[in-house]
C-alpha cells in the first residue's frame, strides 16, 4: 500500500539562530512511496529534470537508512515526488527530501523508529539539525546535537506575524555558502548573537513582535555571505521600509525571509521590486507557519 508524505519548506537561522532555529512554512513537497523490486523515481515540479531520478535520490537514500537502522532488508521502492519547494534556494529542499524518505521508510516498516530516532538520523544525514527539526515537527524549532543525538523542541510564534519569502531565480550552493564563513569569530560577535537569539525567542514567546527588528540581527553568517548576495542589504532595507519587522537571509540563501505584522503583500511587492532593480528575477510568497511538520497516510 502506498505511503503518502507531505513535508514543509523550512527557513533556518532567522538571523541570529545559526544552526539552531528552523521555521516550517506553508509550502510543501508531496511524496508517494511504495515497496517494489528495484528503485524507480519520478520527480515532478521543482527540480524536475535536474534532481536525480535513480537510487542516488535523497528520498531513496533516506528510506534505505531507515531500513538499515531497523535491521530490515531493502529490496526497492517506487517513489513519486511532487515538489513545490525550489531546490538550492535556502528553503530546506534537501531537508524536506531527507525527512520525506525517513518518514516514508519508517511508515512502510510499521513505524519501528520513534520521533527522536528519526530526528537524529535526519540531523546526521543533513549535517545540521535546524531544517530537519522544523520539517519533522513543524512550527519554530530550537535544536541541538547532544552526545550523538538530536534534541529539538517547538517554541511559540505569534499568529499575527506573517512571513514573506523572496525566492530569487538564481540558485546557491550550501557548501559554498558555508565555505565563506570564518573558522573563528570575535567574542563580541558571539555575544551579540547570543543576546539577539535570547531576545528573539523572548519576543516571540511574550508576543512582542515589535522587538524583532533588533532581535533578528546577525553577525555570525550574514556579514560573510553578503559577498555572495551583494543585493541582500538593499532588499532587506526595502522590506523594512515597506513595514517588515525584520528581514534576513533564509538559511544559506539566496532566498530572503521577512517578518511582517501587517501589510505582508506590500512587503512582498517591495522585496520583488528591490530585487528587480538589481537586475535579478524572483518571486515573493506570503506563507503561513506550518504547524504540522511531516505527516503521512496510507492510501489504497
Amino acid at each position: 500500500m502506498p505511503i503518502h508524505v507531505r513535508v514543509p519548506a523550512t527557513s533556518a537561522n532567522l538571523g541570529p539562530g545559526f544552526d539552531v532555529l528552523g521555521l516550517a512554512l506553508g509550502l510543501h513537497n508531496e511524496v508517494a512511496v511504495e515497496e517494489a523490486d528495484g528503485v524507480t523515481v519520478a520527480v515532478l515540479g521543482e527540480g524536475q529534470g535536474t534532481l536525480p531520478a535513480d537510487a542516488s535520490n535523497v528520498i531513496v537514500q533516506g528510506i534505505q537508512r531507515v531500513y538499515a537502522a531497523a535491521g530490515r532488508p531493502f529490496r526497492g521502492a517506487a517513489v513519486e515526488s511532487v515538489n513545490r519547494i525550489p531546490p538550492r534556494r535556502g528553503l530546506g529542499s534537501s531537508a524536506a527530501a531527507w525527512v520525506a524518505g525517513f518518514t516514508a521508510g519508517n511508515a512502510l516498516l510499521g513505524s519501528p523508529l520513534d520521533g527522536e530516532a528519526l530526528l537524529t538520523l535526519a540531523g546526521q544525514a543533513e549535517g545540521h539539525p535546524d531544517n530537519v527539526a522544523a520539517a519533522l515537527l513543524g512550527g519554530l524549532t530550537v535544536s541541538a546535537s547532544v552526545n550523538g543525538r538530536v534534541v529539538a523542541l517547538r517554541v511559540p510564534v505569534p499568529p499575527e506575524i506573517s512571513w514573506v519569502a523572496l525566492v530569487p531565480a538564481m540558485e546557491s550552493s550550501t557548501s559554498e555558502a558555508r565555505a565563506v564563513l570564518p573558522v573563528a569569530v570575535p567574542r563580541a560577535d558571539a555575544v551579540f548573537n547570543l543576546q539577539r537569539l535570547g531576545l528573539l525567542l523572548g519576543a516571540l514567546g511574550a508576543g512582542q513582535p515589535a522587538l524583532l527588528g533588533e532581535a533578528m540581527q546577525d553577525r555570525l553568517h550574514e556579514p560573510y555571505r553578503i559577498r555572495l548576495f551583494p543585493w541582500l542589504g538593499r532588499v532587506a532595507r526595502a522590506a523594512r521600509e515597506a513595514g517588515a519587522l525584520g528581514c534576513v537571509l533564509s538559511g544559506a540563501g539566496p532566498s530572503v525571509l521577512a517578518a511582517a505584522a501587517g501589510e505582508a503583500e506590500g512587503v512582498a511587492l517591495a522585496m520583488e521590486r528591490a530585487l528587480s532593480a538589481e537586475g535579478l528575477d524572483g518571486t515573493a510568497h506570503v506563507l503561513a507557519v506550518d504547524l504540522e511538520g511531516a505527516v503521512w497516510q496510507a492510501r489504497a
Side-chain angles (χ1 to χ4, degrees), residues 5 8 47 75 78 110 133 137-138 146 152-153 156 174 178 184 206 226 236 238 268 277-278 290:
V5 182
R75 62 185 180 88
L137 302 178
V146 180
L153 54 86
T174 299
R178 284 188 172 265
I226 200 166
E278 300 293 325
D290 177 286

Side-chain angles (χ1 to χ4, degrees), residues 62-182:
I63 296 170
Q64 290 177 304
R65 292 194 186 200
V66 167
Y67 274 64
R72 300 278 289 276
F74 176 75
R75 62 185 180 88
V79 177
E80 180 180 280
S81 183
V82 178
N83 295 343
R84 299 181 184 87
I85 305 170
R88 296 175 290 276
R89 300 298 209 290
L91 288 174
S93 61
S94 65
W98 281 117
V99 168
F102 288 128
T103 301
N106 198 45
L108 287 171
L109 293 175
S111 301
L113 304 183
D114 61 18
E116 183 179 296
L118 289 178
L119 179 58
T120 295
L121 283 175
Q124 292 170 344
E126 181 73 351
H128 41 93
D130 45 6
N131 288 100
V132 294
L136 272 168
L137 302 178
L140 176 63
T141 57
V142 178
S143 56
S145 298
V146 180
N147 298 324
R149 63 192 181 99
V150 174
V151 177
L153 54 86
R154 279 179 41 168
V155 294
V157 180
E160 64 268 24
I161 298 177
S162 298
W163 301 91
V164 182
L166 174 68
V167 185
M170 64 180 290
E171 297 183 353
S172 176
S173 163
T174 299
S175 59
E176 181 182 5
R178 284 188 172 265
V180 300
L181 301 180

Side-chain angles (χ1 to χ4, degrees), residues 8-29:
T10 52
S11 181
N13 305 330
L14 273 70
F18 181 68
D19 280 3
V20 175
L21 298 182
L23 179 68
L25 299 168
L27 183 69
H28 302 89
N29 287 354

Side-chain angles (χ1 to χ4, degrees), residues 193-214:
N193 267 53
L194 286 170
Q195 291 175 339
R196 270 67 188 174
L197 178 58
L199 184 62
L200 176 57
L201 294 176
L204 293 173
Q208 297 190 38
L211 294 174
L212 296 189
E214 183 59 42

Side-chain angles (χ1 to χ4, degrees), residues 166 168 217-218 221-242 244 246-250 254-258 270-271 273-275 277-278 280:
L166 174 68
Q217 299 295 314
D218 165 77
H221 68 103
E222 285 191 13
Y224 305 99
R225 286 171 168 169
I226 200 166
R227 73 184 67 170
L228 302 175
F229 317 113
W231 41 264
L232 174 61
R234 291 181 284 276
V235 169
R237 182 166 57 253
R240 289 191 295 268
E241 290 174 353
C247 187
V248 297
L249 194 65
S250 179
S255 291
V256 181
L257 185 72
M271 294 171 73
R273 287 175 172 170
L275 188 66
E278 300 293 325
L280 298 171

